[in-house]
Amino acid sequence: MIQNYLRKLSQLYFNGNATEHSYRGDLQTLLQEILGKEFSVINEPQRQACGAPDYIISKKDIPVGFIEAKDVGDKDLSRVKKTGNKEQFDRYKNALNNLLFTDYI
């Protein structure tokens, strides 16, 4: 399961013209396979009051987690640059419980 996911990411990445959105379906599929049928993993869910995280994970229509994904190798996942992801990450951290930031790897 995870090896297959990493193989797909590698193919897209080394193709040379993938963007952050190119990897979305593969991560959604991996998460759904890991979590099972009792959870739903939605890519591009409706906006929250704080913004639009890339994924929401729900169990019986109750949100249990959120994911914000950045492009593979994003150098600012640590959210320290004032001009990078810091503002968005801080806003999400203050508003959402159980939040994950990822560059798909």
Side-chain angles (χ1 to χ4, degrees):
M1 183 177 339
I2 293 175
Q3 291 297 337
N4 189 40
Y5 168 76
L6 292 173
R7 190 173 21 265
K8 288 178 182 181
L9 255 60
S10 291
Q11 289 171 344
L12 287 170
Y13 182 79
F14 289 111
N15 185 28
N17 61 0
T19 68
E20 171 188 325
H21 294 265
S22 302
Y23 309 101
R24 294 255 182 109
D26 293 319
L27 181 58
Q28 181 179 11
T29 299
L30 174 68
L31 292 170
Q32 194 65 68
E33 288 174 355
I34 290 171
L35 295 171
K37 293 180 182 180
E38 64 185 270
F39 291 91
S40 65
V41 180
I42 305 296
N43 173 19
E44 291 292 329
Q46 292 180 341
R47 290 183 68 80
Q48 307 292 308
C50 64
D54 296 321
Y55 300 86
I56 185 171
I57 299 170
S58 302
K59 184 175 181 180
K60 297 182 181 179
D61 296 325
I62 298 170
V64 294
F66 298 89
I67 300 172
E68 177 60 26
K70 298 298 181 191
D71 203 5
V72 171
D74 187 302
K75 303 244 187 283
D76 195 34
L77 280 180
S78 61
R79 39 183 215 286
V80 293
K81 292 191 231 170
K82 293 197 185 288
T83 58
N85 302 321
K86 184 176 180 357
E87 186 276 327
Q88 179 190 38
F89 285 3
D90 287 347
R91 185 169 21 97
Y92 285 3
K93 253 179 45 179
N94 290 329
L96 302 171
N97 293 324
N98 205 13
L99 175 64
L100 173 85
F101 299 107
T102 185
D103 70 349
Y104 295 98
I105 298 173

